[in-house]
Amino acid sequence: SYELTQPPSLSVSPGQTATITCSGDKVGDKHTSWYQRRPGQSPVMVIYQDNKRPSGIPERFSGTNSGNTATLTISGTQAMDEAEYYCQAWDSSPLWVFGGGTKLTVL
Amino acid sequence: EVQLVESGGGLVQPGGSLRLSCATSGFTFDDFAMHWVRQAPGKGLEWVSGISYNSGNTLYAESVRGRFAVSRDNAKNSLFLQMNSLRGEDTAFYYCAKTPYSSSSGDHFDSWGPGTLVAVSS
């Protein structure tokens, strides 16, 4: 079965850049999305189709996907960005697979 | 504003059944495919099932195929998940999720509900 691997946790200082990776075999051949989940809230999509940002999501969120790694980058990280982040890959099988999640701490 | 609200979760014994519902508002329900995604305690998200806008196509994860059945009532703007032969490993928060596509095979989920907890235990 297909698997996606994320680092369990990441800590950054306010204003720094947070880079969250999502590794999977040839994930660059799939469409990836990223979801943010703050404690006690529903997941919110922050990136879809590798690098597209939904309306209402700040420009500091960006995504890339190539080879075996998809990446979510948060530039100028703010305290409100503290949350769990999940990557998700899709292909036309169809297949939906999620990573294990990364807990981002802003301190 | 899109709203999705799950209900129907609870404690059930192994081998038992449960029916989850997802009430929706704020969008034209019968234009879009819908899915169920779950998260077991301490684990990552897992896609469970999906249904196209007109119920013409349904999809299931291998782990639930033959035990779970997804359905929708477009007249009531509602999504359902009938879960039979429940096992301990089905214990999880269950989320309904909307896609921006009519087909059940779309690549992402643009809105999620808050989830409902299903606990399978004797």
Side-chain angles (χ1 to χ4, degrees):
Chain A
S1 61
Y2 192 77
E3 293 185 357
L4 295 172
T5 301
Q6 297 181 237
S9 62
L10 176 68
S11 295
V12 297
S13 299
Q16 284 191 331
T17 296
T19 302
I20 302 174
T21 57
C22 173
S23 300
D25 184 45
K26 297 180 182 177
V27 69
D29 292 342
K30 305 181 190 302
H31 292 182
T32 56
S33 303
W34 290 88
Y35 302 89
Q36 173 196 69
R37 192 172 68 184
R38 296 190 177 104
Q41 297 189 16
S42 310
V44 172
M45 185 180 68
V46 295
I47 292 290
Y48 68 102
Q49 291 175 2
D50 299 336
N51 54 20
K52 295 182 172 65
R53 197 175 52 249
S55 61
I57 299 301
E59 290 184 9
R60 63 180 181 273
F61 287 86
S62 63
T64 61
N65 183 22
S66 179
N68 294 322
T69 304
T71 302
L72 174 69
T73 302
I74 310 173
S75 304
T77 305
Q78 300 182 7
M80 66 185 299
D81 300 330
E82 187 162 289
E84 285 185 310
Y85 290 86
Y86 294 87
C87 63
Q88 175 240 313
W90 173 91
D91 68 23
S92 57
S93 305
L95 167 80
W96 295 270
V97 175
F98 292 89
T102 299
K103 183 175 182 179
L104 176 66
T105 302
V106 183
L107 42 66
Chain B
E1 180 191 1
V2 172
Q3 290 203 341
L4 310 174
V5 180
E6 303 90 342
S7 62
L11 176 64
V12 61
Q13 292 188 338
S17 297
L18 216 53
R19 188 188 194 217
L20 304 184
S21 300
C22 175
T24 76
S25 61
F27 66 102
T28 305
F29 182 71
D30 54 11
D31 277 351
F32 301 104
M34 299 290 295
H35 291 252
W36 290 96
V37 178
R38 68 185 180 184
Q39 184 168 29
K43 299 205 170 181
L45 296 165
E46 178 190 17
W47 173 79
V48 174
S49 180
I51 185 168
S52 62
Y53 74 108
N54 63 355
S55 305
N57 189 35
T58 56
L59 298 165
Y60 299 94
E62 195 61 43
S63 57
V64 307
R65 189 172 295 131
R67 300 186 299 122
F68 289 12
V70 62
S71 61
R72 63 192 293 161
D73 184 338
N74 286 351
K76 296 184 177 179
N77 297 330
S78 295
L79 174 72
F80 305 100
L81 186 67
Q82 177 67 42
M83 304 186 296
N84 300 326
S85 303
L86 282 162
R87 307 167 179 166
E89 55 264 37
D90 296 318
T91 295
F93 275 95
Y94 284 74
Y95 300 94
C96 70
K98 172 188 169 294
T99 82
Y101 308 102
S102 58
S103 162
S104 55
S105 58
D107 62 358
H108 63 275
F109 311 108
D110 60 0
S111 295
W112 298 62
T116 186
L117 177 62
V118 172
V120 183
S121 175
S122 54

